[in-house]
Amino acid sequence: MIARLIRWSIANRGLVLLAAVALAIAGTISLLRIPLDAIPDLSPTEVIIKTSWPGQSPQIVQDQVTYPLTTTMLAVPGATAVRGNSFFGDSFVYVIFADGTDLYWARNQVVDYLSEAVSKLPSGVNPVIGPDATGAGWIYKYALIDRTGKHDLGQLTALQNWFLRYRLKTVPNVSEVATIGGMDNAWQIVLDPQALAARGLTVKQVEGAIKAANGATGGSVIEQGEAEMMVTSVGYLQTREDFARIPVATSKNGTPILLREIARIRRAPTARRGIAELDGQGEVVGGIVIMRHGKNALETIKAVKARLAELQKSLPPGVKIVTTYDRSKLIHRAVTNIGEKLIEEFIIVALVCLLFLGHLRSSLVAIITLPLGILTAFLIMDAQGVSANLMSLAGIAIAIGEMVDAAVVMIENTHKHLESWRDTHPGQREPGPAERWKLVTQAMIEVGPACFVSLLVITFSFVPVFALGGEEG
């Protein structure tokens, strides 16, 4: 079969040349649009379910939240493993699917089964699905700092949570923007137990009174002439005095019992689970930009940096956005390093071929096959959705040595046939075109099948690597 393919290719050299040009063009297009990344994303298809139940111990969260969710998710189609972790006030359930499962199909399956699991959970506990991203999606981190001291951590956290976070989530291919460090300021009501007991009140009554006072209620419609006026009651709590005036109950003599009589009202940060510090100069508020699964990291980072540059102009004076991690630098260094090594390898191959073959045009034949093979690899990578990263580019660099071996062997055998022809035709320096192509055909058919089999053996030797890698993932 290889011999027939060689004969057909030499007989139709024009078509082979056109096919090579078309392959080079298609490979170049794939090279320009293939996503660049520093490392390959080997994460399995995974869907994370987070459930918050504030104030509950890990054991209660495990028994009443994590266990019902994990047992329900075991029946999800395509799921290979379900893992659960319980913390103070939080539950995390990880549903892992078989390799090759579409992430969004997996998320739909989990959402369908969540409707069944919600009925088993305590009242008021609502699980949510994590972002459509993987562990390799952390592409950019930044910190909000204010060296002037005009803004405290609570104000910086408010800027991050209510301004930067929502604006960054509108950037294409950004799945989530997480906040680390900082403080969430809140109104805290510290009840006086003796005051509650003296008035015969309970914590539930106080909680209900605060909820009833904080909100808006719609009323009916009053008609005046030909106009209708809608009646609403708006009572959002914004200041300390608003809280202080909340009527909790009525005493026996009809006097309202106000919240300030039974509690202290203060503005203070909520309980913190961690801090973020930058360069040992104090606490800051940080943000983590997480990219959607399978998207172009370099383009996403570029868009995020452009959006942050716009948002910087809208921040209060003294507040700055500082980059703490930028994967684009690692991507550029990785790709540039591999690119330089490939160029060096091209030069070394050219010199070695020229040295051993002693013929410039023959060495060029061996060298031309290298970029054509690399462009073909990029075409296949683009079709399979594989990014250009350290692993894939290093694999191409390793393959160059195997590719050039076969070309050198075939060219060397062609030279041997030409030398034999010159020995049998002492008076002629070079054969005619027809005779030359006949010799080339014989030389290629002689070693072509053996070269093909040797390359095939090398190719199949990598199959266990891919198979074991798939099972491990």
Side-chain angles (χ1 to χ4, degrees), residues 6 79 188 268 311 318 340:
I6 292 173
Q188 293 185 359
L311 297 176
E340 291 174 353

Side-chain angles (χ1 to χ4, degrees), residues 62 64 73 78 86 107 152 159 173 177 193-194 198 214 227 268 281 298 312 331 338 363 382 436 445:
Q62 169 69 24
Q64 300 192 33
M73 293 301 134
S86 302
R107 289 170 65 86
D152 58 26
L159 284 172
N173 300 331
V177 179
Q194 294 180 353
N214 184 35
Q281 299 182 14
L298 206 57
Q312 176 67 68
I331 294 172
I338 292 294
S363 62
D382 186 31
R436 186 181 185 86
I445 292 175

Side-chain angles (χ1 to χ4, degrees), residues 180-438:
I180 55 175
M183 293 182 179
D184 288 318
N185 285 332
W187 289 105
Q188 293 185 359
I189 300 171
V190 183
L191 298 175
D192 183 351
Q194 294 180 353
L196 286 177
R199 292 165 177 79
L201 299 175
T202 63
V203 177
K204 285 290 184 180
Q205 285 179 282
V206 177
E207 183 180 350
I210 295 172
K211 289 182 178 180
N214 184 35
T217 304
S220 184
V221 176
I222 299 176
E223 295 184 6
Q224 287 187 354
E226 296 181 356
E228 290 185 345
M229 292 183 293
M230 291 178 288
V231 179
T232 58
S233 173
V234 179
Y236 292 111
L237 303 175
Q238 298 179 350
T239 65
R240 181 178 284 103
E241 189 59 29
D242 291 339
F243 283 92
R245 293 196 302 261
I246 295 176
V248 178
T250 304
S251 63
K252 296 179 179 180
N253 58 8
T255 304
I257 301 174
L258 303 182
L259 185 61
R260 64 188 173 199
E261 299 174 12
I262 59 174
R264 288 188 297 111
I265 304 163
R266 65 187 183 185
R267 186 75 169 169
T270 58
R272 298 199 291 167
R273 309 299 296 174
I275 65 172
E277 192 179 45
L278 180 63
D279 297 334
Q281 299 182 14
E283 289 188 53
V284 296
V285 179
I288 304 174
V289 180
I290 303 173
M291 179 185 65
R292 296 189 188 279
H293 171 70
K295 300 301 180 181
N296 192 318
L298 206 57
E299 291 182 359
T300 306
I301 294 173
K302 183 179 178 181
V304 167
K305 292 165 74 173
R307 180 62 56 85
L308 284 176
E310 295 176 5
L311 297 176
Q312 176 67 68
K313 303 174 184 177
S314 303
L315 293 177
V319 179
K320 294 183 179 180
I321 301 174
V322 178
T323 300
T324 57
Y325 172 73
D326 183 358
R327 194 193 288 180
S328 63
K329 297 179 181 179
L330 177 61
I331 294 172
H332 286 302
R333 288 199 303 268
V335 174
T336 301
N337 181 59
I338 292 294
E340 291 174 353
K341 299 307 177 186
L342 288 176
I343 293 174
E344 292 174 4
E345 196 164 2
F346 281 157
I347 295 173
I348 293 173
V349 168
L351 293 176
V352 170
C353 291
L354 183 61
L355 178 64
F356 283 93
L357 295 178
H359 194 266
L360 180 61
R361 287 188 300 171
S362 297
S363 62
L364 289 177
V365 172
I367 295 168
I368 288 174
T369 59
L370 298 183
L372 192 61
I374 291 175
L375 291 175
T376 304
F378 278 113
L379 183 63
I380 297 174
M381 288 166 58
D382 186 31
Q384 294 182 341
V386 178
S387 64
N389 52 67
L390 277 174
M391 298 296 292
S392 58
L393 294 179
I396 291 176
I398 294 172
I400 285 178
E402 307 300 335
M403 290 168 55
V404 75
D405 282 350
V408 169
V409 168
M410 298 182 78
I411 294 172
E412 178 68 19
N413 194 50
T414 303
H415 276 269
K416 292 298 181 182
H417 276 259
L418 290 174
E419 290 174 4
S420 299
W421 184 89
R422 293 189 190 99
D423 293 340
T424 57
H425 299 77
Q428 300 181 29
R429 185 177 179 182
E430 293 291 340
E435 185 67 20
R436 186 181 185 86
W437 282 112
K438 183 178 179 182

Side-chain angles (χ1 to χ4, degrees), residues 83-94:
R83 301 171 185 147
N85 290 325
S86 302
F87 304 94
F88 180 78
D90 286 312
S91 166
F92 290 89
V93 175
Y94 305 86

